[in-house]
């Protein structure tokens, strides 16, 4: 007779923890979500970055998946699912307003024709001029396609019309040639000198490879679709991305020996490195050169937010980089990548270790917990 009581107690504890996560998501994300487009702006900004919003959507969607396992979810499964859909469709809306740029980019591959990486969170207007900002970020567009595919597979309806299907197919063409498209990378800076020089980034190629693998053969209308609503990938383009990625790792690019952004392709969310030995070698290189007490450096001699950075100038002189050696900022967010990677690998001890590190770096606020990057 004790077994049903035990199961009820476990269920109550599970629901209590889910409700706690729901309050955090509601206060940190849903409360700041635009009522028009569903985009979530960066803190103290009126602009929403594509990459940030995809990760926000993923967090909301992940909690919705957890609530699906609860019988009495108080309507939260549907609320969270639709909030994630609204955010993804907000990105889609902003992208489709620049569909003419995709057509030009396919022909010329000019960075001036790239899709913008940030938009006004209420109006969807572009955040800056084409040549004024490092908009060409293949990894951000690939990340959108990756989670669009996963959410659609889980049963969410994000794509409504054939116009949208055709545009997503165009986005596949847009990222397929990542292996030969120098971009600005995850940090919107290009080369380490931050001198507006674009280069091939392993993190961008890896994210494109992962997106191509998951979206190939996907019916964007789900169970209601047909062949006409299915997306296809050029297998030759995928293979070339795979080969170039393998030749670049463990480096991030020609100017960066390694980069913490590679954690997004060696583990969650892309899992793009097929060779286990090469994956381990890449992670070991990242940990040896970038790991610190409070997080990971983005890359060696990264001057952003350091005390010696000249904020009046956008670009560095090559000789200036040496002054940032050893004083780079450490970013706790990469402990999250490492914790998730440990969970997916089944290493519970390592996951708990990084979870403990993150708990020590949390600063509480009236609406939940914020994770701040510590600057050393």
């Amino acid at each position: 007779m004790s077994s049903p009581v035990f199961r009820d107690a476990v269920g109550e504890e599970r629901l209590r923890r889910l409700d706690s996560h729901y309050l955090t998501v509601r206060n940190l994300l849903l409360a700041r979500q635009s009522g028009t487009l569903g985009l979530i702006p960066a803190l103290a900004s009126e602009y929403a970055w594509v990459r940030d919003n995809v990760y926000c959507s993923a967090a909301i969607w992940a909690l919705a998946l957890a609530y699906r396992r609860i019988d009495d979810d108080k309507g939260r499964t549907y609320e969270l699912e639709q909030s994630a859909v609204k955010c993804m469709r907000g990105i889609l809306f902003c992208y489709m307003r620049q569909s003419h740029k995709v057509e030009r980019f396919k022909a010329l591959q000019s960075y001036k024709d790239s899709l913008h990486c940030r938009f006004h969170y209420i109006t969807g207007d572009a955040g800056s001029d084409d040549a004024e900002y490092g908009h060409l970020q293949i990894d951000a567009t690939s990340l959108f396609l990756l989670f669009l595919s996963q959410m659609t597979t889980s049963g969410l309806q994000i794509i409504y019309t054939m116009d949208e299907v055709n545009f997503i197919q165009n986005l596949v063409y847009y990222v397929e040639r990542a292996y030969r498209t120098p971009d600005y990378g995850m940090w919107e800076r290009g080369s380490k000198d931050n001198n507006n020089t674009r280069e091939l980034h392993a993190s961008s190629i890896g994210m494109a490879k992962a997106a191509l693998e998951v979206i190939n053969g996907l019916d964007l209308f789900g169970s209601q679709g047909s062949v006409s609503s299915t997306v296809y990938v050029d297998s030759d383009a995928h293979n070339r991305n795979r080969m170039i990625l393998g030749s670049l790792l463990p480096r991030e690019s020609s100017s960066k020996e390694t980069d913490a952004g590679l954690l997004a392709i060696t583990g969650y969310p892309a899992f793009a490195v097929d060779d286990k030995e090469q994956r381990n070698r890449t992670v070991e290189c990242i940990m040896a050169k970038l790991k610190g007490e409070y997080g990971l450096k983005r890359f060696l001699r990264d001057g952003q937010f350091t005390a010696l950075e000249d904020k009046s100038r956008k670009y560095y002189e090559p000789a200036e980089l040496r002054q940032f050696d050893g004083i780079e900022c450490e970013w706790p967010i990469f402990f999250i990548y490492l914790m998730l990677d440990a969970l997916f690998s089944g290493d519970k001890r390592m996951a708990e270790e990084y979870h403990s590190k993150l708990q020590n770096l949390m600063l509480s606020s009236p609406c939940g917990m914020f994770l701040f990057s510590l600057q050393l």
Side-chain angles (χ1 to χ4, degrees):
M1 296 297 293
S2 61
S3 181
V5 176
F6 175 75
R7 286 198 297 269
D8 288 344
V10 171
E12 287 296 325
E13 173 62 17
R14 182 183 295 118
L15 183 59
R16 184 193 65 78
R17 294 177 63 183
L18 282 179
D19 287 344
S20 175
H21 292 318
Y22 171 80
L23 290 176
T24 301
V25 167
R26 187 185 68 182
N27 292 331
L28 291 180
L29 301 179
L30 302 184
R32 300 174 53 245
Q33 190 172 22
S34 164
T36 53
L37 297 178
L39 298 179
I40 301 170
L43 292 176
S45 174
E46 58 184 11
Y47 290 106
W49 272 256
V50 170
R51 186 184 297 102
D52 297 352
N53 273 257
V54 173
Y55 278 122
C56 288
S57 296
I60 298 169
W61 169 59
L63 187 56
L65 292 179
Y67 266 110
R68 284 183 181 181
R69 302 172 65 89
I70 303 298
D71 292 332
D72 182 14
D73 64 356
K74 305 173 186 177
R76 289 176 177 173
T77 301
Y78 183 80
E79 177 194 0
L80 292 167
E81 287 178 348
Q82 296 310 304
S83 296
V85 168
K86 186 171 185 178
C87 187
M88 293 293 284
R89 285 192 59 79
I91 298 172
L92 178 65
F93 172 80
C94 295
Y95 271 171
M96 290 190 70
R97 292 180 65 186
Q98 298 187 337
S99 57
H100 59 286
K101 295 167 65 67
V102 177
E103 291 297 334
R104 288 205 303 265
F105 185 86
K106 285 160 51 182
L108 304 174
Q109 290 189 311
S110 168
Y111 73 98
K112 294 182 180 180
D113 297 323
S114 62
L115 290 168
H116 283 206
C117 64
R118 62 175 185 171
F119 301 91
H120 194 281
Y121 83 108
I122 294 178
T123 65
D125 293 338
S128 54
D129 293 336
D130 294 338
E132 181 183 316
Y133 200 83
H135 288 295
L136 180 53
Q137 299 169 34
I138 297 295
D139 72 294
T141 306
S142 299
L143 186 70
F144 171 73
L145 292 175
L146 177 67
F147 276 104
L148 170 71
S149 304
Q150 293 180 350
M151 291 179 185
T152 300
T153 303
S154 75
L156 299 189
Q157 191 69 49
I158 300 176
I159 303 301
Y160 293 169
T161 68
M162 282 305 301
D163 285 338
E164 294 173 359
V165 171
N166 293 335
F167 180 76
I168 295 299
Q169 181 69 71
N170 253 354
L171 284 189
V172 171
Y173 298 146
Y174 180 88
V175 304
E176 270 184 343
R177 301 298 186 262
Y179 64 88
R180 66 179 191 193
T181 307
D183 69 347
Y184 289 101
M186 184 180 291
W187 311 124
E188 306 176 344
R189 299 162 75 92
S191 69
K192 184 185 291 190
D193 297 339
N194 193 27
N195 59 5
N196 202 35
T197 300
R198 297 166 300 284
E199 55 185 7
L200 289 177
H201 289 89
S203 56
S204 293
I205 298 173
M207 196 63 73
K209 171 184 175 289
L212 295 176
E213 288 173 348
V214 74
I215 203 171
N216 187 32
L218 177 68
D219 190 334
L220 294 176
F221 288 167
S223 60
Q224 308 299 319
S226 64
V227 175
S228 61
S229 54
T230 301
V231 176
Y232 296 99
V233 170
D234 178 4
S235 59
D236 182 61
H238 169 263
N239 287 331
R240 293 191 182 202
N241 278 299
R242 178 179 54 81
M243 289 187 292
I244 297 300
L245 175 63
S247 66
L248 277 174
L249 293 175
R251 295 187 68 92
E252 159 71 338
S253 65
S254 60
S255 71
K256 299 188 186 81
E257 305 89 333
T258 187
D259 192 301
L262 289 171
L263 292 175
I265 67 167
T266 58
Y268 176 87
F271 300 99
V273 184
D274 300 326
D275 188 327
K276 185 176 181 180
E277 182 179 340
Q278 187 175 53
R279 176 194 177 280
N280 292 338
R281 188 166 61 249
T282 302
V283 174
E284 288 170 2
C285 181
I286 293 171
M287 301 299 283
K289 295 185 177 182
L290 303 180
K291 186 182 179 182
E293 182 180 356
Y294 303 105
L296 271 66
K297 304 170 185 177
R298 299 192 306 179
F299 49 87
L300 296 177
R301 297 185 176 181
D302 173 21
Q304 190 169 19
F305 300 130
T306 61
L308 299 182
E309 181 187 30
D310 184 355
K311 295 180 174 59
S312 65
R313 293 189 295 115
K314 185 175 181 180
Y315 303 130
Y316 302 138
E317 296 295 333
E320 289 182 287
L321 294 176
R322 181 174 296 180
Q323 67 180 332
F324 303 129
D325 198 5
I327 65 168
E328 303 95 334
C329 294
E330 296 176 2
W331 301 72
I333 189 174
F334 293 110
F335 282 163
I336 300 178
Y337 282 97
L338 292 168
M339 182 183 70
L340 290 172
D341 189 40
L343 287 172
F344 279 107
S345 302
D347 191 342
K348 188 176 181 181
R349 183 194 62 81
M350 186 62 68
E352 290 176 347
E353 179 181 328
Y354 284 116
H355 183 265
S356 177
K357 288 178 180 289
L358 287 165
Q359 289 296 320
N360 294 332
L361 296 172
M362 287 282 193
L363 300 178
S364 60
S365 72
C367 62
M369 302 297 287
F370 285 105
L371 184 64
F372 289 94
S373 59
L374 302 186
Q375 302 169 21
L376 303 182

